[in-house]
Amino acid sequence: MSEHTTNTALGLRPPAHRVSRRAIGYWTVTASILWIILIGVQTLIVVTSDDAPSFLSVTLVLSCVLGPLHLIVMPQWRYRVHRWEVTGEAVYTQSGWLKQEWRIAPVSRIQTVDIERDPFEQLFGLAKITVTTASAAGPLRIAGLAHDRALALADELTKTTQAVRGDAT
């Protein structure tokens, strides 16, 4: 294989696979909890304070407008952006919604593959995979995978990593 072909194969490109559609619900619920807490605290301060500054009422109104807007836009946007792909040569990820990041890690540099599920991910049947490499940029994360897909992917990455020669440093 020529050097040009190798560079093309490992070039930064949009990954092929989307995360699970259930990730939309997961992102919505987890963001909702934070908005409910914020709006609840703001409401409590405005209602219980006799001399609450008017800017607190303004921030409460802003939160009541921005919260639902965020919950409508963010999960859909993240779903369209978050992608992943694993080939025999590399792991490709694309993530973010406001700040988007594309990453590639050669399989020969993979050190560990971990699966993690928080309580809400368990509720939605989701998991995230963390692929740790010898990169200063840190590990690659693939969030929003269906749990069974995450297990199969971790197994595939482990087998591929063992079959590829390299020192993962």
Side-chain angles (χ1 to χ4, degrees):
M1 186 183 299
S2 72
E3 183 177 326
H4 176 70
T5 306
T6 301
N7 288 340
T8 302
L10 291 180
L12 197 56
R13 60 183 174 74
H17 308 293
R18 286 192 174 179
V19 297
S20 171
R21 284 198 61 80
R22 289 179 278 176
I24 296 170
Y26 168 76
W27 291 322
T28 303
V29 167
T30 55
S32 295
I33 292 168
L34 296 174
W35 280 110
I36 289 168
I37 291 169
L38 176 64
I39 291 171
V41 168
Q42 289 174 320
T43 301
L44 186 65
I45 291 170
V46 168
V47 168
T48 61
S49 178
D50 293 334
D51 55 349
S54 62
F55 79 89
L56 289 177
S57 297
V58 171
T59 61
L60 175 59
V61 170
L62 280 175
S63 293
C64 289
V65 171
L66 293 178
L69 184 62
H70 176 253
L71 295 175
I72 292 168
V73 173
M74 177 272 298
Q76 296 293 329
W77 192 334
R78 283 181 74 176
Y79 178 73
R80 286 178 177 82
V81 171
H82 280 68
R83 294 182 175 273
W84 64 275
E85 184 177 356
V86 174
T87 67
E89 295 81 32
V91 177
Y92 298 85
T93 63
Q94 180 181 334
S95 61
W97 70 287
L98 289 179
K99 177 186 172 196
Q100 296 179 10
E101 177 180 69
W102 290 24
R103 302 266 315 269
I104 179 175
V107 170
S108 62
R109 305 277 291 176
I110 295 174
Q111 295 175 328
T112 62
V113 178
D114 303 303
I115 297 176
E116 182 182 343
R117 299 175 76 196
D118 67 35
F120 286 109
E121 285 171 318
Q122 291 177 43
L123 181 68
F124 283 90
L126 299 172
K128 69 175 93 31
I129 287 190
T130 303
V131 178
T132 305
T133 66
S135 169
L140 278 78
R141 290 186 177 82
I142 306 171
L145 294 174
H147 183 245
D148 57 342
R149 182 65 187 119
L151 292 172
L153 183 57
D155 186 51
E156 175 186 343
L157 279 171
T158 302
K159 288 176 183 171
T160 304
T161 302
Q162 291 172 352
V164 172
R165 291 194 174 269
D167 61 0
T169 59

